[in-house]
Amino acid sequence: MANQRGSFLTKSVFTTGEVASICRVSQQTVIRCFDSGRLKGFRVPGSRFRRIPRESLLAFMQNNDIPLDELEGNRKRVLVVDDDEAIVEMFTELLERDGRFDVYTAQTGYDAGMLTQQYRPDVVLLDFKLPDVNGNVVCRTIRSKRELEHTRIIIISGVADPDEINDLMDAGADEFIKKPFNIDNVISKMVDLLAI
Amino acid sequence: MTTALDPSPAGASVGIDQLQVMLNHIDQLPTLPAVACRLLETATSEGARAADLSALIENDPSLTAKILSLARRSHLGTRAPTTVQQAVVVLGFRAVRNAVLCVKVFETLGGASAAPGAELATSLWKHSLATACAATLIAEAAGAKDLGGEAFVGGLLHDIGKLALLTCVPKSYVRVVRRTEERRVCIVDAERELLGVDHTVAGKRLAVRWGLPEAIVSVIWLHHQTPEALPTTVDAGHLVRIVHLADHLVRRLRIGCSGYHRTATVEALAGVPGIDGARLEQISTQIPLDVEAHGELIGLNDVNAAGLYAEALADANRELGRINTELAEANRRFTIRERVFDALTGFTGSVVPEAGLADVWLAAAECVRRLLAVSSAIGFTCHGQQPVLHLGISSAGGGRTDVVPFEPAGCRALHTFWPGKPTTLTGGLVEAAGLGRVVAELYAATDDHRPWWMFPVVRAGRAVGAVAFPAEHESLQEAAIPGDEWDTLADAMALAASFARMRASAERTSEELADAGRRLHDAREEVSRVRSLAMVAQMAAGAAHELNTPLAVVSGRAQLLVRSAVDEEQRRDLNTIHEQCLKCSEIVSELVDFAKPAAPQPQAVQVGPWLERLRQHWRARHGGQSARITVKVSDAMLRLHVDVAQADRILEALLDNAVLAAAESDGQVLINCPGPTSDETAVISVEDHGAGMSAEVLEHAVDPFFSHRPAGRARGLGLSRAYRLAENNGGRLWLESSPGHGTRAFVELPVFRDSCAEERVGTPAPKNVYEKSCDEQGRDRV
């Protein structure tokens, strides 16, 4: 079961049986929802089998207020974005040790974008100065996507110009943390934001 | 025969057309009666006989009567002649002929009437007659007896042109004669100027029309030529010269009017050989008698020798009187001019090339004072647009210069004299007005009510200044010194004044240039300092970001290690690592802050309470320090308009330095706020009596990371940051120090005015999460 759950966390396409398991409803219900169009999906070409993509399952569950624990697990997904490897490694170790987080990392703005799209993290720890694009832009981009509206953004940066900080807040960041920082402080902030 | 036409009023020159008109009129004069013509023919032709002559005379009864009476008078014998023939024999052929000519010509052209110029005509006749007689006598004396008759005719008719012109245009001709007398010019010139022709030309034309003999025509035409100038081709040159001499002789004797006032008898004499001076004198005495004789004949009744002499004397007297008056006038003018030149010499002598503007006007005042013999005079001008008078005050006891301001508005109301603006005043003296009035009011004694006059120095229509003085004589004899002389003075004064003014301008310009050079130097230094600060700022900002990341790694790792620390000591070490990282970061933050201070949020800050709070805060933090800080505020209610946090930092930096210096000396630090230095700023000083700084150190005191203290030094950014923060808040920071006398640090900050309240930035404090999450030293709050 744990294995299954683990794979649920990463699977991208589900069968109706899996959906039923995740949503704790009968398979028949799932099929009915599928057929009526409330649960979007597709049929395997050349067969009657129904398949449900992750996004539509997620949307369905959200729409019907079904807890997402089975699908997502109760670990929060964190995306750490920083061009400095040492920082990234440190964060990864810190967060995984904590146990409540699943950590994804990116070192450029582009990677950050790809990963955000793919994993829809709960919180992004974003460095302000990235090699390819300004953290400001990343922030705004994330905020502009409706499906990412629940993502929290924490800017972590060495530069502490008050004007720039204000700009970032206006761009949609939720918190700002200055390097070097107190790790307990960071963790507690994340916890507050995610309301764990 | 007067015509209605008279040429244009006196002074107008005559055009070609008018000349033609004049000549036409001359041509219209009546001709000589036949008898006279015939007489002339017989007179000059060979083989003239008395019988012919008597026949001619007998035809005219009046003429007959006249001849007979003449004969009777000159006869000193037995029986008076009763017939013309007898008369002719008695008188002599020539005399009779002459007499007849006289009469006839006189009748034609003379005819005394009430016409204007009748007196002139009579005078002219007298002259002609006298010339005729004189010519005859001269011809006889020169051994040219056969020319006697022609000489008479020539003399009689030589000025016929004048009579002709007089008859044509009597009014103008009277004017001509008058002009000749007034201006002492040659009558020929006057005639040409006013009438277009002269009497020689007019006479010649008339003579030609009358058919007079060639010789007579020549005489009429050329009798004014000097003997040397007479062309040798002219016939009857001898006759002309005789008549010329006769003319001059008669002029000298002043018989009648010839329109000439100059005589050149000697030269004329040279033209006639055979006569010498003595003979001429004899002739001279004879002339009046002859004139008397003939005059009676033609009805000039008042012609007698005595009368002629009397007239001549009177004329000469008049002449003399006129000359006298002219000389007296010239003398007076020259006397005045001499005075003016003396004054001018005095003026130019006392003005030296280095004279200032006021000195020049002092010299001018002195000059005028001496010239007009007043007791005091004040020369003044104003320079440029500033309402300041430059004065030179001259009085008998000496002179001095002064510079006083005046009220331009009040002066403009008097608006008749304002240096620099075009003026309608010219040279000469006028009543004091405009600035002159201002000067008069300034310098007149209170009990002195004399009117003030002034001499405006005007050049090319612009006034450059004036000399004012109180009038001491009842009527100021402005007329005593004519306008042109004042102009001369004005020119000289204006020139000197403009030189002085140019020199003053040049001096001022060079001073300004030197000052500008100095300020440029200072500005350049300031710019280079600012630039270096800006570079440091940029560098700091760049470093900040770079450094913080590795610092975060180190501190993060250390914190992680703490969780798996073995013992307390290890934990402590790891914490130290973490803290030191934070400290590194703090340095970097300071640099960043120094580079670009936050925008100030100014508020009204009361000086008294604020400084007191600072002092206590300091003592709370540095209780162990030995310095004693005194706060002295003259106006505790004075409010400054500054960002409190930044102002705190400024004062703290200054206090740091002051306390350190004081600790090495008497331990006293004074914070002094004497009050606002202007409407907009107030200065606070922090003073210590420490070792002070040498000039070199002082110059670099504000440079970042500069410190001359070898040990126990602070970070080195304190003063630099204070400098920048002061500027950030619209103020200034500077230091004064000298070795051994301590240091005074001054910070000038803006004063809170009520108008500032509206200027305050209306936005609420921004959501500055950074401040929320970090404490003062940038450490994250736990």
Side-chain angles (χ1 to χ4, degrees):
Chain A
M1 214 47 198
N3 272 352
Q4 198 182 25
R5 185 179 294 165
S7 66
F8 278 170
L9 292 178
T10 54
K11 257 170 123 58
S12 52
V13 177
F14 299 90
T15 64
T16 50
E18 286 165 343
V19 172
S21 167
I22 289 169
C23 299
R24 300 192 214 273
V25 297
S26 68
Q27 198 173 5
Q28 241 354 68
T29 313
V30 176
I31 288 171
R32 263 210 301 283
C33 292
F34 186 96
D35 289 341
S36 69
R38 275 177 292 162
L39 175 62
K40 302 220 183 326
F42 60 92
R43 287 187 188 265
V44 174
S47 79
R48 304 182 280 109
F49 299 125
R50 300 174 179 78
R51 293 288 180 267
I52 293 100
R54 193 185 181 87
E55 298 82 39
S56 28
L57 174 57
L58 195 60
F60 178 76
M61 288 171 79
Q62 283 170 340
N63 282 342
N64 292 284
D65 291 324
I66 303 170
L68 299 172
D69 296 5
E70 294 294 329
L71 187 61
E72 311 261 86
N74 44 14
R75 281 162 44 125
K76 299 296 175 188
R77 286 185 301 284
V78 181
L79 175 64
V80 179
V81 185
D82 198 311
D83 58 337
D84 188 298
E85 270 191 46
I87 289 277
V88 168
E89 277 177 21
M90 195 192 67
F91 266 119
T92 312
E93 193 173 319
L94 168 68
L95 292 169
E96 280 185 344
R97 240 203 250 178
D98 184 281
R100 292 177 284 182
F101 304 104
D102 286 329
V103 184
Y104 303 92
T105 69
Q107 292 197 298
T108 65
Y110 182 69
D111 287 343
M114 299 262 292
L115 291 175
T116 313
Q117 191 70 15
Q118 192 171 3
Y119 294 109
R120 277 168 289 106
D122 297 302
V123 61
V124 177
L125 291 177
L126 181 59
D127 181 21
F128 181 51
K129 292 232 170 16
L130 293 169
D132 55 344
V133 81
N134 200 341
N136 214 335
V137 173
V138 174
C139 216
R140 276 187 223 275
T141 315
I142 292 176
R143 275 289 159 264
S144 67
K145 299 261 183 274
R146 219 181 69 84
E147 60 265 24
L148 297 172
E149 63 188 356
H150 71 288
T151 306
R152 303 269 80 91
I153 304 179
I154 301 180
I155 308 268
I156 304 191
S157 180
V159 175
D161 181 8
D163 296 333
E164 287 183 358
I165 294 172
N166 289 336
D167 282 345
L168 290 167
M169 291 303 156
D170 291 339
D174 295 296
E175 281 282 357
F176 178 90
I177 295 176
K178 186 178 172 310
K179 294 184 212 173
F181 44 79
N182 182 311
I183 55 181
D184 292 330
N185 190 22
V186 171
I187 300 286
S188 74
K189 272 209 194 330
M190 286 169 63
V191 164
D192 284 340
L193 278 178
L194 294 171
I196 298 175
Chain B
M1 203 210 82
T2 56
T3 59
L5 177 80
D6 258 341
S8 43
S13 55
V14 182
I16 302 290
D17 297 328
Q18 218 155 6
L19 178 64
Q20 200 57 43
V21 165
M22 195 64 53
L23 294 175
N24 284 346
H25 283 300
I26 292 169
D27 289 344
Q28 282 165 22
L29 285 171
T31 56
L32 272 181
V35 63
C37 293
R38 289 281 300 285
L39 210 52
L40 278 168
E41 282 174 49
T42 54
T44 53
S45 66
E46 308 282 330
R49 291 189 320 213
D52 296 326
L53 187 58
S54 4
L56 276 173
I57 292 169
E58 277 156 7
N59 282 339
D60 188 336
S62 67
L63 192 58
T64 311
K66 287 199 177 143
I67 294 294
L68 283 175
S69 73
L70 184 66
R72 263 199 291 276
R73 238 194 327 208
S74 41
H75 166 68
L76 297 166
T78 48
R79 261 180 330 146
T82 44
T83 64
V84 175
Q85 200 146 9
Q86 284 176 358
V88 171
V89 167
V90 166
L91 289 172
F93 186 78
R94 205 168 282 138
V96 172
R97 188 204 62 184
N98 288 349
V100 170
L101 261 177
C102 266
V103 174
K104 282 298 164 200
V105 174
F106 184 72
E107 275 175 12
T108 311
L109 277 183
S113 58
E119 271 186 39
L120 183 59
T122 313
S123 284
L124 285 171
W125 265 118
K126 279 192 206 165
H127 172 78
S128 303
L129 197 50
T131 313
C133 301
T136 316
L137 289 169
I138 288 171
E140 280 175 12
K145 243 186 158 72
D146 50 337
L147 280 181
E150 284 173 334
F152 187 86
V153 176
L156 189 67
L157 299 176
H158 80 283
D159 266 343
I160 205 77
K162 289 186 189 167
L163 279 163
L165 286 172
L166 184 62
T167 315
C168 283
V169 287
K171 285 204 203 93
S172 302
Y173 204 73
V174 168
R175 214 182 290 136
V176 167
V177 172
R178 199 178 307 137
R179 176 177 280 205
T180 314
E181 280 179 10
E182 280 167 11
R183 301 212 190 155
R184 317 185 79 70
V185 297
C186 175
I187 196 169
V188 170
D189 293 328
E191 284 166 352
R192 281 208 204 109
E193 196 182 299
L194 283 180
L195 305 174
V197 289
D198 61 64
H199 65 275
T200 55
V201 169
K204 183 182 93 141
R205 264 181 110 93
L206 191 59
V208 165
R209 271 198 51 238
W210 281 354
L212 296 179
E214 277 275 348
I216 307 298
V217 173
S218 302
V219 168
I220 294 173
W221 193 23
L222 300 170
H223 68 270
H224 279 305
Q225 305 289 345
T226 53
E228 300 87 33
L230 209 53
T232 45
T233 49
V234 171
D235 300 337
H238 201 55
L239 187 60
V240 174
R241 283 192 280 271
I242 289 173
V243 171
H244 180 71
L245 177 59
D247 189 19
H248 278 272
L249 196 59
V250 168
R251 274 193 233 158
R252 205 178 63 175
L253 294 174
R254 298 183 174 275
I255 299 177
C257 164
S258 72
Y260 262 136
H261 297 276
R262 284 177 287 128
T263 60
T265 328
V266 174
E267 289 147 3
L269 188 52
V272 179
I275 297 223
D276 60 358
R279 192 78 181 84
L280 213 57
E281 289 303 317
Q282 286 178 338
I283 295 175
S284 307
T285 49
Q286 178 65 26
I287 292 174
L289 303 166
D290 276 358
V291 169
E292 189 178 342
H294 282 91
E296 208 180 306
L297 198 60
I298 58 178
L300 298 172
N301 294 328
D302 52 351
V303 176
N304 63 14
L308 286 174
Y309 277 131
E311 265 180 33
L313 270 172
D315 191 32
N317 262 351
R318 258 200 313 278
E319 195 75 14
L320 212 58
R322 216 190 340 252
I323 292 173
N324 246 4
T325 319
E326 280 179 18
L327 280 175
E329 176 65 26
N331 200 25
R332 197 184 62 85
R333 271 209 302 277
F334 283 137
T335 313
I336 293 178
R337 190 164 294 180
E338 191 186 351
R339 273 172 59 203
V340 171
F341 275 153
D342 276 345
L344 198 55
T345 313
F347 173 72
T348 48
S350 59
V351 172
V352 292
E354 300 83 33
L357 203 53
D359 294 322
V360 167
W361 285 102
L362 176 58
E366 185 72 25
C367 171
V368 169
R369 189 178 70 79
R370 287 233 188 83
L371 192 58
L372 293 176
V374 289
S375 64
S376 70
I378 302 179
F380 62 91
T381 184
C382 89
H383 185 34
Q385 297 302 321
Q386 304 145 7
V388 168
L389 278 178
H390 298 259
L391 301 159
I393 304 159
S394 159
S395 56
R400 63 185 173 89
T401 61
D402 205 353
V403 176
V404 299
F406 62 90
E407 181 54 46
C411 185
R412 207 168 277 135
L414 304 171
H415 70 122
T416 47
F417 182 62
W418 183 265
K421 290 215 173 89
T423 175
T424 50
L425 297 173
T426 54
L429 298 175
V430 294
E431 274 192 40
L435 277 182
R437 264 256 73 79
V438 173
V439 168
E441 275 156 27
L442 279 173
Y443 288 97
T446 41
D447 54 350
D448 181 0
H449 300 292
R450 292 176 294 186
W452 277 63
W453 286 68
M454 69 181 187
F455 159 48
V457 175
V458 172
R459 196 161 187 232
R462 291 189 159 258
V464 294
V467 177
F469 52 92
E472 294 188 351
H473 320 285
E474 263 312 310
S475 63
L476 205 53
Q477 331 80 318
E478 182 195 347
I481 299 183
D484 328 355
E485 312 297 343
W486 283 117
D487 283 346
T488 315
L489 274 177
D491 279 346
M493 289 176 186
L495 198 64
S498 45
F499 277 146
R501 189 187 303 217
M502 280 196 293
R503 227 179 47 82
S505 293
E507 262 186 35
R508 217 183 3 262
T509 308
S510 66
E511 276 164 21
E512 274 172 19
L513 203 61
D515 192 43
R518 210 171 31 243
R519 276 185 278 133
L520 189 64
H521 179 71
D522 287 347
R524 214 184 277 146
E525 281 195 356
E526 185 68 21
V527 164
S528 74
R529 180 203 302 275
V530 167
R531 208 183 287 154
S532 68
L533 277 179
M535 285 199 301
V536 166
Q538 244 179 340
M539 191 185 69
H545 164 69
E546 301 295 329
L547 277 172
N548 275 335
T549 303
L551 283 174
V553 174
V554 170
S555 98
R557 286 286 176 199
Q559 290 174 72
L560 281 174
L561 283 172
V562 162
R563 298 198 183 163
S564 51
V566 169
D567 56 20
E568 189 56 36
E569 197 183 323
Q570 208 179 44
R571 193 170 298 130
R572 224 183 12 248
D573 290 342
L574 288 167
N575 271 327
T576 307
I577 295 176
H578 171 62
E579 278 165 19
Q580 290 305 312
C581 287
L582 288 174
K583 207 163 205 162
C584 292
S585 181
E586 197 182 299
I587 296 176
V588 167
S589 297
E590 273 191 28
L591 274 180
V592 170
D593 199 32
F594 169 68
K596 191 172 161 204
Q601 308 287 325
Q603 297 168 288
V605 178
Q606 280 192 343
V607 171
W610 173 52
L611 289 177
E612 189 54 39
R613 178 172 62 74
L614 273 178
R615 186 174 78 89
Q616 291 183 356
H617 195 59
W618 173 273
R619 284 170 68 79
R621 267 212 306 223
H622 305 268
Q625 298 278 4
S626 53
R628 190 176 138 70
I629 305 174
T630 321
V631 172
K632 186 165 128 189
V633 175
S634 69
D635 177 10
M637 305 305 286
L638 176 67
R639 290 181 296 172
L640 299 174
H641 192 227
V642 290
D643 180 314
V644 183
Q646 293 182 357
D648 278 354
R649 296 235 281 268
I650 298 173
L651 262 292
E652 276 167 16
L654 295 182
L655 271 178
D656 281 346
N657 287 343
V659 164
L660 269 171
E664 293 158 14
S665 69
D666 65 354
Q668 301 275 2
V669 170
L670 170 66
I671 307 180
N672 184 18
C673 178
T677 48
S678 74
D679 277 343
E680 307 196 342
T681 58
V683 172
I684 301 175
S685 68
V686 178
E687 306 178 16
D688 68 73
H689 302 118
M693 293 187 264
S694 68
E696 216 183 292
V697 172
L698 188 58
E699 204 181 307
H700 291 286
V702 185
D703 290 353
F705 296 113
F706 176 85
S707 177
H708 67 289
R709 283 196 297 266
R713 55 201 275 293
R715 192 126 52 220
L717 263 188
L719 265 184
S720 310
R721 191 163 57 188
Y723 183 88
R724 268 182 89 80
L725 284 176
E727 284 192 348
N728 204 29
N729 275 278
R732 280 190 310 143
L733 186 143
W734 70 97
L735 301 169
E736 286 174 12
S737 180
S738 52
H741 294 100
T743 305
R744 282 166 308 288
F746 296 95
V747 58
E748 181 184 84
L749 292 170
V751 164
F752 181 80
R753 287 168 293 156
D754 293 322
S755 56
C756 295
E758 293 93 48
E759 287 168 22
R760 276 190 54 193
V761 179
T763 58
K767 188 173 79 161
N768 199 337
V769 182
Y770 167 52
E771 287 203 354
K772 211 167 60 172
S773 60
C774 303
D775 65 11
E776 284 176 351
Q777 274 97 1
R779 276 191 277 257
D780 294 348
R781 288 207 186 83
V782 173

